[in-house]
């Protein structure tokens, strides 16, 4: 819900920073906005930030705890027929 309302109050071209990006629920929600609403990640915004390890053993993946995204300019609401699975 936070991302939905942030999208409504942040102007086009604005910046949104997510915390707890390692959490599956946050990753899924953000992926939806990337795939369907044109959010673009600012890749090195938190390059030296805290990493969180997902999984255990050799298969564990280290992901950043925070991520930054630029909203599209202008903001748009695509029709349901253009929905892309995420």
């Amino acid at each position: 819900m936070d991302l939905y309302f942030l999208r409504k109050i942040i102007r086009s071209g604005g910046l949104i920073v997510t915390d707890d990006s390692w959490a599956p629920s946050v990753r899924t929600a953000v992926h939806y906005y990337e795939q369907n609403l044109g959010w673009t990640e600012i890749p090195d915004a938190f390059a030296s930030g805290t990493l969180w390890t997902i999984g255990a053993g050799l298969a564990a993946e280290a992901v950043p705890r925070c991520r930054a995204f630029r909203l599209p300019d202008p903001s748009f609401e695509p029709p349901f027929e253009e929905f892309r699975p995420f």
Side-chain angles (χ1 to χ4, degrees):
M1 292 305 300
D2 292 343
L3 297 178
Y4 173 81
F5 286 112
L6 282 171
R7 187 176 132 259
K8 298 288 187 186
I9 62 174
I10 305 296
R11 69 182 127 168
S12 296
L15 183 70
I16 291 181
V17 175
T18 61
D19 188 16
D20 295 334
S21 294
W22 57 269
S25 58
V26 175
R27 289 189 350 222
T28 300
V30 167
H31 198 185
Y32 166 79
Y33 285 97
E34 287 179 291
Q35 291 296 311
N36 290 285
L37 298 174
W39 289 21
T40 54
E41 182 176 11
I42 300 172
D44 295 328
F46 294 98
S48 61
T50 305
L51 294 178
W52 193 266
T53 304
I54 300 174
L58 297 175
E61 175 186 6
V63 297
R65 182 175 166 183
C66 296
R67 294 172 68 195
F69 297 90
R70 178 84 52 204
L71 273 62
D73 189 22
S75 184
F76 63 95
E77 187 76 37
F80 183 76
E81 294 77 29
E82 294 179 18
F83 174 81
R84 285 180 256 164
F86 57 98

